[in-house]
Amino acid sequence: MHTDETKPSDFKKSENSDYSHIKGWGIDADPENDPTYPIKKRTNEEHEGYAWDRPAQQPETVEILKSVERPNLTAVFGTASPPEGLNGKIRELAFKYSESSYGRWLPLMLADRIGVVEGIMDDLKKGHVPNVFAELGWPAEWKHNKKGFLLKMALIGAGTAVAVSLLTSKKKTEDED
């Protein structure tokens, strides 16, 4: 497992390894057959790996969700929107699963959708009415993709009509009983 303490020398392949069974392996090993030569000034220093000192760790001022595959923080990370509200709770749940798991990505997608609704509600609480149509890109879609836009609106209208009819039909049958 690679950690933040991993050095470039840890990645060097051993001299006695044979990868000739892999098609295309070592295709760039011959400097005479290098497509970037002579444009690239070849010094062969990159073959020795990169020596660098790890930068200072960014301070952790808000809650940062960490991957189960990576026990420590990366050198830099975003702090603009820390997990909060219902979408934050869903994100915390999702980060308990592996990055290769649906248990991770499906809840994160759901949290994104919930975050949009929470953002709109937050705007309304602050007295700002968001321009949802512009934020969804509908004016641009109308300008550049009228056919697709009309199809999307027709599907939204049909879905809304079906939902309204189902809701009102249930209400009518309950009233009749």
Side-chain angles (χ1 to χ4, degrees):
M1 175 182 204
H2 301 295
T3 68
D4 287 340
E5 308 308 319
T6 305
K7 298 173 192 65
S9 60
D10 296 338
F11 292 99
K12 286 179 101 175
K13 67 177 187 167
S14 62
E15 297 299 322
N16 56 3
S17 297
D18 179 26
Y19 299 104
S20 61
H21 63 283
I22 301 172
K23 185 177 180 179
W25 185 267
I27 197 165
D28 57 350
D30 181 11
E32 299 300 318
N33 189 27
D34 185 351
T36 64
Y37 183 83
I39 297 169
K40 177 182 174 192
K41 194 172 193 174
R42 182 171 285 283
T43 61
N44 289 325
E45 290 174 3
E46 67 269 13
H47 290 257
E48 296 302 317
Y50 299 101
W52 54 279
D53 293 327
R54 181 172 169 78
Q57 180 68 44
Q58 177 183 349
E60 187 177 350
T61 57
V62 296
E63 180 185 4
I64 306 297
L65 298 174
K66 299 174 185 95
S67 172
V68 294
E69 282 90 1
R70 185 177 183 89
N72 47 2
L73 286 173
T74 56
V76 293
F77 46 83
T79 59
S81 57
E84 59 185 14
L86 179 59
N87 88 64
K89 295 296 181 201
I90 294 172
R91 287 178 193 285
E92 289 171 3
L93 173 77
F95 269 80
K96 292 179 181 177
Y97 293 92
S98 169
E99 291 181 14
S100 63
S101 166
Y102 283 121
R104 167 79 165 254
W105 296 108
L106 292 177
L108 286 177
M109 289 173 36
L110 176 64
D112 285 344
R113 291 353 178 242
I114 291 173
V116 169
V117 173
E118 287 177 339
I120 291 170
M121 290 184 341
D122 190 42
D123 284 346
L124 292 172
K125 282 182 198 172
K126 293 177 181 174
H128 175 264
V129 178
N131 186 350
V132 176
F133 301 109
E135 291 176 13
L136 289 174
W138 288 358
E141 191 165 2
W142 174 254
K143 182 177 180 183
H144 300 287
N145 184 19
K146 286 184 181 162
K147 183 178 177 183
F149 179 76
L150 292 172
L151 178 62
K152 186 185 295 184
M153 292 301 111
L155 290 172
I156 289 172
T160 303
V162 168
V164 167
S165 68
L166 287 173
L167 291 172
T168 56
S169 67
K170 286 182 181 178
K171 189 175 182 181
K172 285 180 185 177
T173 56
E174 289 173 1
D175 291 340
E176 291 174 1
D177 291 339

